[in-house]
Amino acid sequence: MDAMQCLLERRSIRSFTDKKIAREDLEKIAKAAIYAPSGMNRQNCIFTVVQNTDIIEGLAECLRIKLNRDKGYNFYKPNALILCSAPRESMHAIEDCAVAMQNIMLAAHSLGVGSVWINQFKGVCDDPIVRTQLSKIGLPEDHLVWGTAALGYASEDAVRNFKKNEEAIKWVE
Ligand SMILES: Cc1cc2nc3c(=O)[nH]c(=O)nc-3n(C[C@H](O)[C@H](O)[C@H](O)COP(=O)(O)O)c2cc1C
């Protein structure tokens, strides 16, 4: 898929089918993350790929408890998650994770896989109940999650928001 077409077409998907994402496609999506730019080329983000539904449910449950979400909160029941984390002292942690997130979402779209940014880990990673789950998936203690991609194939009823703010471009001539 042409790069311009990919970035103009990608839209957040919040309703997924049960279809499993093939391992080789998940590997390509994760590879797109490590090819993102990083401040001072530190490349110190970690991209934790989780496809095990029990583990995804465990991660959703700790957020439900911590954030008082109802039992429907489950990252939109994706087939996979990629958690983008960086060391807490890293100067460009947020920016590095954000550009990697965009690479993940665009790579996913190019492969026909839907995605949406999940932001609920931000600010709660050090809560004991959340940290316990993050440690279970091997996240280093000094890492904070700045973005998580929920991934899966779009359901037929998935809503896509196509409206963009064309007024946001200002030309100075
Ligand atoms: C920093 C950031 C945080 C976001 N957090 C969430 C989130 O927690 N849950 C969600 O459903 N969408 C989240 N989104 C997706 C936005 O709602 C979405 O990008 C926006 O509505 C525009 O739609 P589009 O992605 O289809 O262009 C987030 C997006 C960004 C960039």
Side-chain angles (χ1 to χ4, degrees), residues 5 8 11 14 25 32 35 41-42 48 50-51 63 71-72 75 78-79 96 98 100 104 117 131 142 145 151-152 162:
Q5 183 191 351
L8 292 179
R11 285 296 176 281
R14 298 184 177 85
D25 282 348
Y35 274 73
N41 198 20
R42 286 267 162 80
T48 306
V50 186
Q51 204 169 18
L63 290 178
K71 63 177 173 18
F75 313 120
N79 181 250
D96 291 349
I104 287 168
W117 185 310
R131 181 56 71 184
D142 71 329
V145 178
L151 299 161
F162 281 97

Side-chain angles (χ1 to χ4, degrees), residues 10-12 14 76 116-120 161 164:
R10 178 219 57 84
R11 285 296 176 281
S12 295
R14 298 184 177 85
Y76 309 105
V116 64
W117 185 310
I118 298 294
N119 218 28
Q120 280 68 49
N161 169 17
K164 291 293 172 187

Side-chain angles (χ1 to χ4, degrees), residues 4 7-8 15 21 34 36 41 50 56 60 80 85 90 92 96 100 104 106 120 149 151 164:
M4 202 64 197
L7 67 90
L8 292 179
S15 178
I21 304 169
I34 63 172
N41 198 20
V50 186
I56 292 175
S85 66
S90 180
H92 302 108
D96 291 349
I104 287 168
L106 290 174
Q120 280 68 49
L151 299 161
K164 291 293 172 187

Side-chain angles (χ1 to χ4, degrees), residues 124-171:
V124 300
C125 291
D126 285 329
D127 184 272
I129 195 167
V130 178
R131 181 56 71 184
T132 299
Q133 291 300 317
L134 294 176
S135 297
K136 275 189 190 168
I137 60 170
L139 207 86
E141 286 290 320
D142 71 329
H143 267 231
L144 300 176
V145 178
W146 291 108
T148 298
L151 299 161
Y153 292 96
S155 302
E156 270 181 31
D157 63 353
V159 175
R160 292 169 178 79
N161 169 17
F162 281 97
K163 197 162 163 22
K164 291 293 172 187
N165 177 16
E166 302 289 341
E167 308 295 312
I169 302 171
K170 304 289 181 201
W171 289 90

